[in-house]
Amino acid sequence: MATIKINKQNFFHNLNQFTLKCGSKAQVGIVLKDNAYGHGLELMAELATEFGLTEAVVRTYAEAKRIKPYFQSILVLGDRACVDAHCSFALNCLDDIDQAPHGAVVELKVDTGMHRNGIAMAELDEALQRIRKQGLRLKGVMSHNRSADELSSELFWQQKRFEMVKQRVKAAGFDTVRFHSFNSATALRLDCRHEDLIRVGIGAYGYSELPEIYRVIELKPVLTLWAKRISSRILQKGDRVGYGGTYEASHSMEVSTYDLGYGDGWMRSTRFQSFVTAEGLPILGRVSMDYVSLASTKEEVCIMDNALEASKQVGTISYEMMTLLNPDIKRIVW
Ligand SMILES: *Cc1c(COP(=O)(O)O)cnc(C)c1O
């Protein structure tokens, strides 16, 4: 099976950029959902703790339980609330409020324009009343931006709406609530000093999907993907490689099979021309479940050292490129 190498220095570099923008580590929440964007949940939790972060964000309660020892508090974005002093649970609709048990720590998500999750702004007063009645502990009020990584004024329109939400929550007497709406792209674009918390995912792992003009802060890729040589052979002109024999040798050449395939989360898609690895080697023919072929005899090759560049070759985004990677792949820190 392939190997993932995690560059701790680059991870710390990225976390430091966001810490500098905020002013303190306490304001930086590391988003560790979906196996820490494919990097490895416990591993990245441990490194984030070593750096000095105390707040984490995950999707499920099961993920939260796995990393509990590392953080002061963990926000669970997409699971049913329960009573757990360590965890807060995002409330994504009015029903979530009614179903949360008395004493649960919750953070109310308000839909300021993305229309994916959260209560409508018109439901805010109703939601706050129900939270009181239900005996929930409202720790935060949050929102999510739909266009933070696009060059448009939409982000500012949504931020304005969130400011209105803040005023109304405070006016309703909830004065110890924390407010947060920044993801990586928002944090890279706007001043973070007055944010109670920013929720940093992709930026911590080294990427920004923002247009070039926003690339003021240098981020460094954390994950690299490596494959090992399984066997080698000499092909004669006209020999064809792999399923369907879609690659044909145009001359005599030596090729090797490496231990990475779509079973590891590496895309097989034939929509694009052969993927070119980090070392400039095109993948020859089709990707198998556990193997790819390359014109190399090196014992180990780097398949991907930049998920953003790789994602462009296959028509997706850096996020998907990394979260697809099989959790069983060995991860090592270096
Ligand atoms: C995934 C997620 C984030 C992190 O977004 P990035 O673009 O990776 O920084 C922040 N907030 C919420 C609600 C999310 O679901």
Side-chain angles (χ1 to χ4, degrees):
M1 211 175 195
T3 306
I4 286 171
K5 297 184 185 174
I6 299 295
N7 187 319
K8 172 171 151 176
Q9 224 177 337
N10 285 2
F11 186 50
F12 282 16
H13 165 87
N14 300 333
L15 294 181
N16 198 40
Q17 302 311 306
F18 289 99
T19 302
L20 289 171
K21 280 217 71 169
C22 288
S24 82
K25 290 175 181 171
Q27 289 161 271
V28 180
I30 177 75
V31 181
L32 296 171
K33 65 189 179 194
D34 296 271
N35 201 30
Y37 291 46
H39 291 62
L41 178 60
E42 283 92 349
L43 182 68
M44 299 313 284
E46 196 177 329
L47 292 179
T49 306
E50 187 185 327
F51 177 81
L53 299 189
T54 56
E55 299 279 336
V57 181
V58 293
R59 171 155 69 160
T60 65
Y61 186 46
E63 288 172 325
K65 283 191 279 194
R66 283 165 58 193
I67 57 167
K68 238 186 210 178
Y70 299 107
F71 296 98
Q72 245 166 46
S73 73
I74 301 169
L75 164 60
V76 179
L77 292 171
D79 221 338
R80 185 159 287 196
C82 64
V83 180
D84 183 327
H86 246 90
C87 298
S88 58
F89 294 85
L91 301 167
N92 287 306
C93 58
L94 288 176
D95 276 352
D96 282 357
I97 302 175
D98 302 336
Q99 282 167 18
H102 181 93
V105 182
V106 295
E107 309 210 32
L108 179 64
K109 193 162 194 180
V110 183
D111 177 9
T112 53
M114 181 160 179
H115 303 325
R116 185 179 66 173
N117 279 317
I119 59 148
M121 286 177 67
E123 295 171 329
L124 186 57
D125 297 327
E126 166 78 16
L128 294 172
Q129 269 172 29
R130 286 201 206 183
I131 286 168
R132 276 215 172 95
K133 203 170 110 221
Q134 192 83 359
L136 307 180
R137 291 164 54 198
L138 185 65
K139 177 177 182 176
V141 173
M142 59 186 286
S143 193
H144 196 47
N145 297 314
R146 74 172 176 204
S147 305
D149 57 7
E150 281 162 28
L151 184 56
S152 77
S153 59
E154 285 205 2
L155 173 61
F156 301 98
W157 165 77
Q158 261 194 280
Q159 283 297 305
K160 224 177 228 160
R161 288 163 66 91
F162 194 52
E163 284 305 319
M164 287 157 57
V165 170
K166 288 185 193 175
Q167 299 315 323
R168 283 167 61 191
V169 172
K170 285 180 193 157
F174 292 92
D175 39 21
T176 57
V177 163
R178 68 178 185 180
F179 295 96
H180 47 101
S181 66
F182 282 27
N183 56 358
S184 302
T186 315
L188 290 170
R189 281 175 73 174
L190 304 181
D191 183 358
C192 300
R193 283 171 300 172
H194 305 294
E195 293 305 304
D196 295 329
L197 181 77
I198 63 171
R199 307 185 303 260
V200 181
I202 199 72
Y205 306 108
Y207 301 100
S208 160
E209 297 268 349
L210 283 165
E212 283 296 334
I213 64 156
Y214 292 119
R215 306 259 174 94
V216 191
I217 289 177
E218 189 201 5
L219 299 171
K220 299 180 178 176
V222 173
L223 174 153
T224 50
L225 178 64
W226 298 75
K228 277 197 232 20
R229 191 180 70 86
I230 300 289
S231 65
S232 300
R233 62 204 33 75
I234 309 272
L235 299 182
Q236 302 305 328
K237 179 175 187 301
D239 284 348
R240 297 187 298 147
V241 175
Y243 285 115
T246 55
Y247 175 78
E248 184 176 321
S250 57
H251 52 87
S252 163
M253 63 195 283
E254 187 161 20
V255 301
S256 302
T257 303
Y258 288 88
D259 66 350
L260 172 79
Y262 58 80
D264 302 293
W266 187 257
M267 281 183 222
R268 175 188 176 280
S269 174
T270 48
R271 270 174 303 149
F272 50 90
Q273 288 301 304
S274 141
F275 181 89
V276 179
T277 68
E279 297 174 9
L281 296 167
I283 289 178
L284 306 179
R286 287 197 193 140
V287 173
S288 299
M289 190 180 291
D290 300 320
Y291 305 111
V292 291
S293 295
L294 300 171
S296 171
T297 51
K298 280 173 70 176
E299 285 307 313
E300 192 179 44
V301 292
C302 183
I303 301 288
M304 172 169 77
D305 64 359
N306 185 315
L308 184 61
E309 283 168 16
S311 71
K312 293 198 172 126
Q313 286 197 54
V314 300
T316 182
I317 52 175
S318 54
Y319 297 74
E320 188 182 17
M321 212 67 212
M322 299 187 292
T323 50
L324 280 177
L325 296 171
N326 190 327
D328 290 339
I329 298 175
K330 190 170 66 182
R331 273 107 172 132
I332 55 173
V333 179
W334 66 317

